[in-house]
Every structure is written in C-alpha cells, then in structure tokens.
Amino acid sequence: MTAPTTTTTTTAPGKKQPAGESHGSGDPFDGDVLPTPPGATAALLRSLLAPMRARVAFTSLLLLLQQAAVQAGPLLVAYAIDRAVPAFRDHDNGPLIAVAVGCLLCALISGALQYGFIIAAARVNQDVLLDLRGRIFRHAQALSVDFHERYTSGRLISRSTTDVESLRELLSEGLQELITVVLSFVYISVLLLWLDLGLGAVAVASFVPLYLLVRMYRQRAARVYGKRSTAMATVIVKFVETMNGIRPVRAFRREAANDADFAVLNQRHERTNGDALLEMARYVVGSRLVANTAVALMVLWGAYRVADGSLELGVLAAAVLYLRRLYDPIDRLGMFLNSYQSAAASLEKIAGLLAQTPSVPEPSAPRELPPLASEFPGREVLFDGVRFAYRTGGEVLPRFDLTLPAGQTVAVVGSTGAGKSTLAKLLARFYDPSAGRVLLDGVDLRELTVPELRRGVVMVTQEAFLFSGTVAENIAIGRPDATRDDIERAAKAIGAHEFISSLPDGYDTDVRKRGGRISAGQRQLVAFARALLADPAVLILDEATSSLDIPGERAVQRAMATVLQGRTAVVIAHRLSTVEIADRVLVMEQGRIVEDGTPAELIAETGRFADLHRAWRDSLA
Ligand SMILES: Nc1ncnc2c1ncn2[C@@H]1O[C@H](COP(=O)(O)OP(=O)(O)OP(=O)(O)O)[C@@H](O)[C@H]1O
Ligand SMILES: [Mg+2]
C-alpha cells in the first residue's frame, strides 16, 4: 500500500474550500469522498449552537468575570510592594490587611465563578454532542440504500465516535483555553499599558514573533493532524470490515494477510501521531523562547528604570508577573490549536455526511392510496417505461413495462444477474427509476406517504436479518401494535410456531444470546412471519425460501397458498418448486421479459422456461 499522495486539507469552519476525505489514489479506502459543500461546516456549527445562544453567552460571562478576578492578583502585589509595605513600616497596617483580604476575595470569587463555568460549559457541551450524534444517526438511517452501499459502516462509526469525540475535546477543553487566552491577552495588555506604557509596549511587541510562531504552527499542524485523523479512520474501517466479515476471513485463512494490512495502517497512524507530537514540541520550545526573551528584556530595562527612579519596584514586579501569566497559557494555546484542527477536520467530515441527500427522497406532496377495490388487500402494480442503472455500471433495466393485476401471484425466474432483484428493489422503492414510473393502484411510489408505502409493499429477502431482541419482538417489527396472539398466529400460518416453541424461552428467546442462536432457515421463517404480520398489499419474496430444506419449503408453500390469497405477490426463486403456486410466470433475461404466461402455458411451449422446467424435473427424478 502506498502512502497517500494528497493530504487531507483541513479548513477552518466557514472557509470556503471544498474538502473532504481526500486520499491518494493508491488508498484502498478511496471512492467515498463526500464533498462538503462550501459553508456547510460553519452552518452546522451555527445550527448546533443557535438553540443555546443564551447559555453560551451566560457561560462566557462567567469566564469573563472569573478572569477579571484572577488578573487582579499582580495589581495587588504592586500595591503591596509600593504602598502597603512602606505604610506598614510607618506602623499603618491597614493597607496590608486590605491586600490580604483582597487576595482572599479574588481567590474565592474566581473559584466560585470557575465552578459555575465548568458546570455550565459541560451542560452546553453535552447538549451539543447529544444533538450532533442524534443527527448523524437519524441522517444516516434516512439515507438511501445506495448511499450505504458506498459508505461503509466503519466510516459511519468513525463519524459518530472519533469525530464527535474530537469535537467534544474542542468544546470541553480547547474552547475554554482559547477564551481564557484571548481574555487574558486583552486584560493583561490593557493593564500593562495602564501600569506603565513602556513596559506594556515591550509586552505588546513580543506578540509579533509569537503571532508568526502560532501562524506557522497552525499551518503545519493542519497538515499533520489531517493526516492523523485520516489514518485513524482507516484503522477503524479496516477493523470493522474485518470483524464484519469474520466468517469469510476464517474460511479463506485471511488472518495473516489481514494482520499485515492492519499493521501497516496502525503504523501509519502511529507515524502521523509522532509527527503531530513533534510539531507540538517545536511550538512549545519556540513560544517559551519568545516568552523568556521578553521577560529578560523587561527585567533588564525595568531594573535600569527603577535604578534611575522613573519606575516603582512594585510596578516592575507586577509587569513581570503579568508577562509570565500571559505566556503561561500559550503552551495550552498549542493544545487548543491541536484540538481545533482535529475538530475542524472532524466537523467537516460530519457536515459532508449530513449534507448528503437521500436519493430516494420523501414526497413533498404525499398522496394516499385509493380505497381498496375489493375485500382483498391486493393492489395493481404497473411498471411504466421504467429504466434503471445503478450508480456504478450500465443500465440494468433498459425499458421496462409490466402490469401485475391486483391479487396475482407472479413468479419471476431467469439467470443470475438478469435483474430480478433489481426489479424487486424498485418495487419496494429501495431505489427510484432513472426514467419512467412504478405505480401502485395508479399512484407513483415516489408520491406515497411513508406509512402507505410501508403498508403497500413488503419485501422478504434471502438475508432475513434479525435484530437483537426476542423472537416475538422480531416478528412484531412487521406491525408494532400487534398482540402476542397476532404474532403467534402469523408464526403458525407460516409454519414457524413449532421451532419457536422449542427454543429455550419460546417466543421470548433472545436471538443474539446464547441458546438463542437460530439457523438460516429459521431466520427466514421469522422474516416470513414478520412480513405476514405487516399485511401488505404487495409481498415480494426474493429467494426468501432459499435456506429452507425441501419439507420446510413445502410447508411454507402450503402456507403461502392461503397467505398470498388476494394479495399481489412477486416470488423470485431459482428452485422451480416455488413456481407451482404462481398464477403467472415471467422469464427475465438481461433486464427484459422474454416469456410471460401461466406455468402450464410456458411448460407446453419450447422456450426458456420449458427447458428450465424439464431440467428441474429431471434433477428431481
Ligand atoms: N448495488 C448494486 N450496484 C451496482 N450494480 C448492481 C447492484 N446490484 C446488482 N447490480 C448489477 O445489476 C445486475 C442485475 O442484478 P440483480 O441482483 O437484479 O440480478 P438477479 O437477477 O437478482 O440475480 P440473482 O439471481 O443472482 O439474484 C447485475 O449485473 C449486477 O451486477
Ligand atoms: Mg437476486
């Protein structure tokens, strides 16, 4: 693997510079560059903070007052040296007591204010991060299937963990540092100039090399931190992908190769981390050099002036104290810049994700389905001049016209890659056609309200995914308000009741826990029961019985004869036994229908289906 040739550009929020996760062309994680629209990052930050404007203002006010209390310290020292000590020598201890009380009060007030600030700031941070993580989840979930085919779950995880975390660091530590630094710069500059114009000028002059240093560091840090965050993301992606595919990894003995790949990525991350630390170290050394030079100059010149009587000793002491204080947080400013860089990069990636729009959008003017024409739940399906191509690759459906009358059970057969699943996914509206329309009882799927679409079309696929939870909960996904009776009835109808009853806790067995492990075929039965419970107008079965044994499939088929009664059904299957329950058979090749008729008609002819059927018969004999 080659190192990335382009670096991730990190821009400050609001800077108009399109960027995203740019990797070099040799990077295996190429291909998911999400361009962040200009201004999106700043807009995201604004929208996160807008609801808490008042609280942010209050929190800032607390810090403003706290800093004022802190910066009073050296002034009291100056007063003590120049006034209170001479007065004490003259047996007047009032000023000295005033200084002591003043110091104590400042400490108490600043402590109390800091306490309030920490709590107030933490609350604001919590709410911002809660909001952001919720937005990422909701948005990612709402994005269409084709987005998730490109953007791996590893990336999503890294968005909602590492990236949110780096924003947390910025908000909880970095931002406080920055405000403290800025405030103390302002306070101290004003106080120093007020105490003594000359000494103040020395301090202000030292800001020039400091500014140059900070600017240089910022540029370098942007580069190394961008690289570091990209390197971290690739580590997570590799990790998640490997663990998601642990079965093929085992089956093909990929462990050693994966270890080697992972070691490379891990080392890359470590290297970028080292680079970042090095930059940080250079910055700290540089800023200390500037600070100490300034202090030395001030002491030299101040001592000279104290000697010739044009400066009071207390003022010099206070000025030196202030200058030290001024440079104290400068190290931490570096920390802030770091967390700022990573947070800016992270926020930009998050903004890029949140700027994605679903390719299957919700309707702006949703329509409901017309009332059912008969007592049966089925509805008419019409593919009207549909053309479709996946994002990658050529056209899968060239121009497709098809009418499925309400209540018809249609079997779709055809060779692998013919476009059967694509047809099913268009009907379930996982994708929208590039041209033409898919209509359900005359209403374009794109216009249907979400609940109507959900009740209209349900698809059961080969994968039959089960969520963590009990078997009953998994079935109830089909209709959340279903009672236990409804659930059991659906399971019985499909022939799943027996195996569910034999599980350790029956319907209450947790499917992900020990003892709750259920086989691929059993998963399909649960998925069937779920679909049945949903009671859709159109039921699509895409290889939905592929993992069942022959008796199991027979049982499901018998059940389906009643289940599909009056429903419009599309059954896709390679095993022709499934076709027997169909009213009509479509043979699909390369995105087109090449044969269309009842099973008996097609068998009697000499086409593809007759051949397939004969071969299948022979295989049974
Ligand atoms: N997500 C996708 N992105 C890009 N191309 C795809 C995608 N899914 C399928 N294709 C392509 O579309 C064509 C049709 O695929 P489809 O899954 O519809 O075939 P199928 O008839 O269901 O095949 P099978 O019998 O193997 O399930 C194939 O050439 C396939 O490579
Ligand atoms: Mg398929």
Side-chain angles (χ1 to χ4, degrees):
M1 192 181 58
T2 55
T5 46
T6 51
T7 53
T8 300
T9 44
T10 316
T11 47
K15 262 199 190 167
K16 290 209 171 20
Q17 186 178 333
E21 298 187 277
S22 333
H23 304 287
S25 48
D27 200 293
F29 302 101
D30 213 351
D32 72 329
V33 180
L34 291 183
T36 309
T41 313
L44 173 62
L45 199 61
R46 267 200 307 277
S47 79
L48 284 170
L49 290 175
M52 19 207 131
R53 210 173 290 141
R55 285 160 65 195
V56 170
F58 173 70
T59 314
S60 311
L61 183 69
L62 287 179
L63 201 58
L64 201 77
L65 296 175
Q66 190 257 348
Q67 279 300 307
V70 168
Q71 301 308 353
L75 271 188
L76 287 167
V77 171
Y79 180 76
I81 293 176
D82 295 337
R83 302 278 175 277
V85 173
F88 188 64
R89 270 201 210 111
D90 301 339
H91 307 290
D92 174 12
N93 54 9
L96 205 56
I97 292 174
V99 166
V101 170
C103 282
L104 203 65
L105 267 183
C106 281
L108 282 177
I109 292 173
S110 95
L113 287 170
Q114 183 144 29
Y115 180 81
F117 169 80
I118 288 172
I119 290 177
R123 291 216 177 112
V124 170
N125 294 345
Q126 291 296 338
D127 289 355
V128 167
L129 297 175
L130 207 71
D131 181 14
L132 186 61
R133 207 174 263 133
R135 283 196 208 187
I136 295 174
F137 182 81
R138 280 195 303 276
H139 195 82
Q141 194 179 228
L143 284 173
S144 314
V145 176
D146 72 331
F147 171 81
H148 292 278
E149 281 165 355
R150 283 177 298 133
Y151 205 76
T152 55
S153 55
R155 285 194 183 280
L156 284 176
I157 291 173
S158 126
R159 285 306 84 83
S160 66
T161 54
T162 330
D163 289 337
V164 172
E165 181 61 18
S166 71
L167 192 64
R168 189 196 65 75
E169 267 171 35
L170 174 72
L171 289 176
S172 67
E173 292 146 32
L175 219 49
Q176 182 190 350
E177 294 294 347
L178 178 73
I179 301 176
T180 312
V181 169
V182 169
L183 278 180
S184 51
F185 258 79
V186 174
Y187 277 131
I188 292 176
S189 308
V190 170
L191 281 170
L192 272 175
L193 288 169
W194 173 72
L195 275 175
D196 184 87
L197 213 55
L199 295 183
V202 171
V204 171
S206 75
F207 294 172
V208 176
L210 188 70
Y211 168 76
L212 294 177
L213 187 72
V214 167
R215 211 179 61 169
M216 195 175 71
Y217 174 70
R218 219 183 91 90
Q219 280 162 358
R220 286 162 164 263
R223 211 174 46 234
V224 293
Y225 278 85
K227 274 189 186 170
R228 192 180 73 158
S229 105
T230 306
M232 188 65 229
T234 49
V235 167
I236 295 182
V237 168
K238 178 73 187 171
F239 199 99
V240 172
E241 267 178 11
T242 306
M243 299 312 155
N244 274 350
I246 192 70
R247 287 182 185 83
V249 165
R250 278 283 143 69
F252 291 95
R253 302 278 166 261
R254 287 281 306 163
E255 292 92 334
N258 281 342
D259 283 348
D261 284 354
F262 192 74
V264 169
L265 295 178
N266 221 1
Q267 272 160 15
R268 195 170 89 185
H269 177 240
E270 194 188 293
R271 223 176 19 247
T272 55
N273 223 351
D275 290 347
L277 282 175
L278 202 65
E279 287 303 332
M280 179 76 190
R282 285 184 185 143
Y283 167 77
V284 168
V285 170
S287 72
R288 296 242 165 107
L289 199 67
V290 174
N292 289 323
T293 311
V295 169
L297 284 176
M298 188 179 266
V299 169
L300 270 180
W301 189 43
Y304 179 76
R305 283 181 50 201
V306 170
D308 76 9
S310 64
L311 186 70
E312 283 180 291
L313 185 61
V315 172
L316 177 60
V320 170
L321 278 178
Y322 273 131
L323 198 60
R324 285 239 68 109
R325 279 198 181 190
L326 188 62
Y327 278 95
D328 231 19
I330 297 294
D331 288 359
R332 301 206 301 270
L333 183 65
M335 298 277 200
F336 162 76
L337 285 176
N338 290 347
S339 53
Y340 174 78
Q341 298 295 358
S342 352
S346 292
L347 201 62
E348 190 168 353
K349 287 182 200 159
I350 294 174
L353 171 64
L354 293 181
Q356 290 289 305
T357 49
S359 58
V360 179
E362 285 188 17
S364 48
R367 281 176 63 187
E368 304 217 328
L369 287 168
L372 283 170
S374 70
E375 63 193 288
F376 294 114
R379 289 182 186 276
E380 184 199 69
V381 171
L382 174 63
F383 282 78
D384 176 21
V386 168
R387 303 169 67 133
F388 181 74
Y390 289 99
R391 228 169 228 276
T392 52
E395 202 156 63
V396 179
L397 298 184
R399 190 197 144 87
F400 198 85
D401 291 288
L402 175 69
T403 310
L404 308 178
Q408 193 172 60
T409 299
V410 184
V412 182
V413 299
S415 40
T416 291
K420 305 179 296 292
S421 298
T422 306
L423 181 73
K425 287 187 275 187
L426 284 168
L427 180 51
R429 208 181 169 219
F430 284 11
Y431 309 95
D432 280 337
S434 343
R437 304 175 299 165
V438 183
L439 306 169
L440 190 60
D441 263 359
V443 184
D444 194 323
L445 294 185
R446 282 175 286 216
E447 292 179 307
L448 281 179
T449 62
V450 176
E452 286 281 44
L453 185 63
R454 205 180 302 127
R455 245 180 304 141
V457 187
V458 165
M459 172 148 94
V460 182
T461 63
Q462 197 168 7
E463 292 103 31
F465 186 82
L466 298 190
F467 297 92
S468 48
T470 67
V471 176
E473 282 163 0
N474 264 289
I475 298 178
I477 287 171
R479 183 149 54 86
D481 60 349
T483 64
R484 178 54 70 91
D485 268 356
D486 297 334
I487 293 171
E488 289 193 15
R489 207 170 314 119
K492 276 181 187 144
I494 213 70
H497 179 72
E498 267 183 32
F499 103 79
I500 298 175
S501 308
S502 71
L503 290 172
D505 299 314
Y507 281 83
D508 297 317
T509 308
D510 194 319
V511 296
R512 292 279 165 99
K513 292 236 175 81
R514 272 161 67 91
R517 298 267 166 217
I518 66 180
S519 76
Q522 290 168 337
R523 273 208 305 276
Q524 288 196 332
L525 288 176
V526 172
F528 256 112
R530 179 194 289 164
L532 228 190
L533 196 62
D535 190 28
V538 180
L539 185 62
I540 307 167
L541 308 176
D542 189 356
E543 303 284 349
T545 52
S546 58
S547 302
L548 296 180
D549 56 7
I550 302 288
E553 191 173 36
R554 283 267 162 226
V556 167
Q557 259 167 45
R558 267 196 306 278
M560 291 223 285
T562 46
V563 167
L564 298 184
Q565 188 65 240
R567 248 179 257 283
T568 312
V570 177
V571 184
I572 300 171
H574 282 293
R575 285 201 219 160
L576 292 195
S577 52
T578 329
V579 172
E580 287 173 3
I581 54 163
D583 307 317
R584 177 182 177 190
V585 174
L586 301 174
V587 181
M588 236 181 131
E589 285 315 324
Q590 294 174 350
R592 287 174 213 279
I593 291 171
V594 293
E595 286 172 45
D596 180 356
T598 64
E601 278 170 10
L602 293 190
I603 291 167
E605 286 174 17
T606 54
R608 275 277 288 137
F609 187 71
D611 290 345
L612 280 174
H613 196 265
R614 207 172 311 113
W616 174 69
R617 278 261 162 242
D618 293 347
S619 75
L620 290 185

